Amino acid sequence: MTTPRPGRLTAAIGGLAVAGLSVALALPAAAAGSTLQAAASESGRYFGTAIAANRLSDSTYTTIANREFNMITAENEMKMDATEPSQNQFSYGNGDRIVSWARQNGKQVRGHALAWHSQQPGWMQNMSGTSLRNAMLNHVTQVATHYKGQIYAWDVVNEAFADGSSGGRRDSNLQRTGNDWIEAAFRAARAADPAAKLCYNDYNTDNWSHAKTQGVYNMVRDFKSRGVPIDCVGFQAHFNSGNPVPSNYDTTLRNFAALGVDVQITELDIEGSGSSQAQQYQGVVQACLSVSRCTGITVWGVRDSDSWRASGTPLLFDGSGNKKAAYTSVLNQLNAGGTTTPNPTPTTPAPTPTTPPPTGGGSCTATYSEGQKWSDRFNGTVTIRANTNISGWQSTVTVRNPQRIIATWNGSPTWDSSGNVMTMRPSGSGALSAGQTTSFGFTVQHGGNWTWPSLTCTAS
Ligand code: 9MR
């Protein structure tokens, strides 16, 4: 709570793939986060993981996932084969389990993936032409409608570009329905869930000089120029020795962001071990932090043993759930902060909230103070003051639609069923003597509503 953020960080990361980045910070002093989500939240970003429904009964897994991450992607459970195993018969059991675990624990969800050439159900693999196009659009509409209002961002289309030097589309049954299949999918997703950000997601698009990266860039530029509804680009970021973190990663992210889309690192894993793996992870985090529209990072699993390529030990926790060197380097880099580029300026200046600072009653008082503001979200801090000696406290924070609390730090939150009322309790002992204070913080995605949250404080 008291560790000041360094006023200036000069990248001294010799041998790092993203060497040469010099990051000058102009951020206010803030607490160092002790978890990935808390550290990422300090700059308004999220830190996520892929979750597999069949591991939700493993308490080592859920304990780490709940503590460290605040954005959840279903690793396989929302894919086309999982959600529509027979045509027009939808199956949401495992996807719903992941969403409800995420929401119970105050986390947001990335939806993955609505349309993809791979992991299609058998019935779809055999289709072509107009019937396939219509079946794909129906799938996008049905699944996005089922999860309407619960998804931060959808990977609307996944992996539609070819590897290699062509820079063009990948051949697939969907591509053969016509080059406009991607924009048709985005339009259907927007109609079904207007609140979700809509992303194009792919791999091997990290290196700015690769033809595939350029192909995706040109498509996004074209979509923006023609008003096709696209809000974000996902970079899967599956790295290994044959496909290392490129030295121009920050350039790639910055150039895409300059098209007017958010960028997100969506499936990060880096094969390897020890300090070499740790340095590559640090480089990816640093690249994201250097781009204001890089809104968050998701790793593709919790422990090495949970990974789709477990033998490459590509994640941040070992098979026993211990933090690896890569974890520490990611946490430290998140705490070092970043963002040299200014945050996007809102088209209209952010109005100053007019609601007076609310206070609670009892023998403790909760007071709100404003933190950083961005075009789409703001940070707030609640200071709890003990009016008498107290042995514990809890504080409710109520936000107003369409506001959503998307991250918290320095406390243990629970949520009511509406998602609007968060009850925050101290992570450790809540004992305070008369006159003593403590504080917790959160990020609100405001959706245009800048009203301050209302607060209560109850002492015990
Ligand atoms: O991690 C996923 C693994 O469990 C599945 O067997 C595999 C099937 O295609 O998909 C993996 O996740 C992929 C993701 O959906 C898209 N990008 C590549 C990921 C790794 O293959």
Side-chain angles (χ1 to χ4, degrees):
M1 199 42 222
T2 51
T3 314
R5 187 197 287 272
R8 183 182 171 82
L9 166 80
T10 306
I13 42 172
L16 176 64
V18 188
L21 266 182
S22 182
V23 182
L25 297 179
L27 296 172
S34 59
T35 63
L36 300 172
Q37 57 167 314
S41 295
E42 288 167 21
S43 68
R45 293 177 171 86
Y46 64 79
F47 210 96
T49 184
I51 288 286
N54 62 9
R55 289 192 167 86
L56 286 175
S57 53
D58 173 343
S59 66
T60 307
Y61 178 82
T62 53
T63 299
I64 299 170
N66 196 14
R67 185 185 71 215
E68 299 289 341
F69 303 103
N70 58 355
M71 182 67 75
I72 300 301
T73 306
E75 187 173 356
N76 289 298
E77 294 79 351
M78 292 189 191
K79 293 175 180 174
M80 300 178 102
D81 58 351
T83 48
E84 197 178 356
S86 307
Q87 188 168 14
N88 255 319
Q89 291 185 359
F90 291 85
S91 160
Y92 295 115
N94 283 329
D96 287 357
R97 262 189 276 288
I98 291 177
V99 171
S100 81
W101 182 85
R103 289 201 67 89
Q104 274 162 20
N105 292 295
K107 303 180 189 311
Q108 291 190 285
V109 179
R110 288 193 85 263
H112 174 78
L114 291 172
W116 190 15
H117 70 278
S118 181
Q119 281 188 276
Q120 291 181 358
W123 61 266
M124 186 180 272
Q125 293 173 27
N126 298 325
M127 290 177 95
S128 62
T130 307
S131 55
L132 173 61
R133 172 68 70 96
N134 290 339
M136 180 275 288
L137 292 175
N138 181 54
H139 180 88
V140 169
T141 300
Q142 296 292 330
V143 177
T145 301
H146 177 78
Y147 288 112
K148 181 177 179 177
Q150 307 194 71
I151 302 292
Y152 163 76
W154 266 113
D155 292 331
V156 178
V157 170
N158 197 35
E159 302 178 359
F161 276 72
D163 293 312
S165 58
S166 79
R169 298 283 181 87
R170 172 196 298 277
D171 180 50
S172 72
N173 60 348
L174 290 167
Q175 181 62 30
R176 288 191 293 270
T177 70
N179 208 47
D180 62 344
W181 74 275
I182 298 181
E183 61 196 82
F186 274 83
R187 291 201 164 95
R190 178 69 96 225
D193 186 357
K197 289 181 188 286
L198 305 182
C199 302
Y200 175 78
N201 191 53
D202 214 328
Y203 66 92
N204 283 352
T205 48
D206 312 285
N207 191 322
W208 179 242
S209 63
H210 282 181
K212 187 172 177 182
T213 310
Q214 294 297 313
V216 175
Y217 177 84
N218 288 333
M219 177 188 75
V220 175
R221 188 172 54 184
D222 170 55
F223 279 11
K224 293 300 285 185
S225 74
R226 291 190 295 112
V228 176
I230 184 168
D231 306 303
C232 39
V233 176
F235 296 81
Q236 293 185 8
H238 294 295
F239 296 113
N240 57 25
S241 55
N243 177 34
V245 180
S247 59
N248 60 19
Y249 206 8
D250 60 313
T251 301
T252 304
L253 299 176
R254 187 167 291 107
N255 287 346
F256 273 88
L259 293 175
V261 288
D262 289 346
V263 293
Q264 300 163 2
I265 292 173
T266 53
E267 305 181 13
L268 177 62
D269 56 14
I270 306 176
E271 291 187 335
S273 62
S275 60
S276 139
Q277 182 182 48
Q279 285 192 335
Q280 292 202 65
Y281 262 106
Q282 183 187 8
V284 173
V285 174
Q286 190 177 40
C288 177
L289 291 180
S290 78
V291 176
S292 60
R293 289 198 78 157
C294 184
T295 58
I297 298 174
T298 294
V299 288
W300 205 238
V302 178
R303 300 161 299 194
D304 285 335
S305 50
D306 303 317
S307 169
W308 66 297
R309 44 182 191 176
S311 62
T313 61
L315 294 173
L316 301 177
F317 294 87
D318 69 18
S320 308
N322 300 310
K323 296 170 179 172
K324 294 167 57 180
Y327 172 93
T328 308
S329 72
V330 168
L331 184 70
N332 289 345
Q333 188 62 50
L334 290 170
N335 276 321
T339 304
T340 47
T341 42
N343 286 300
T345 314
T347 40
T348 51
T352 309
T354 47
T355 318
T359 53
S363 53
C364 60
T365 308
T367 310
Y368 181 73
S369 52
E370 290 188 307
Q372 268 186 280
K373 296 195 195 78
W374 295 268
S375 56
D376 61 338
R377 61 197 190 281
F378 59 81
N379 281 353
T381 301
V382 173
T383 302
I384 302 294
R385 182 181 184 278
N387 301 320
T388 58
N389 292 344
I390 61 175
S391 57
W393 56 269
Q394 65 181 58
S395 174
T396 63
V397 177
T398 304
V399 297
R400 291 161 189 79
N401 287 334
Q403 294 177 335
R404 279 284 173 274
I405 296 179
I406 59 170
T408 69
W409 51 96
N410 291 347
S412 299
T414 55
W415 308 78
D416 79 335
S417 56
S418 74
N420 287 354
V421 184
M422 173 180 77
T423 301
M424 186 65 102
R425 295 181 177 81
S427 301
S429 160
L432 296 172
S433 48
Q436 245 191 327
T437 61
T438 186
S439 63
F440 63 87
F442 49 85
T443 303
V444 176
Q445 184 176 291
H446 56 66
N449 182 348
W450 291 85
T451 312
W452 288 6
S454 52
L455 310 175
T456 67
C457 189
T458 309
S460 50

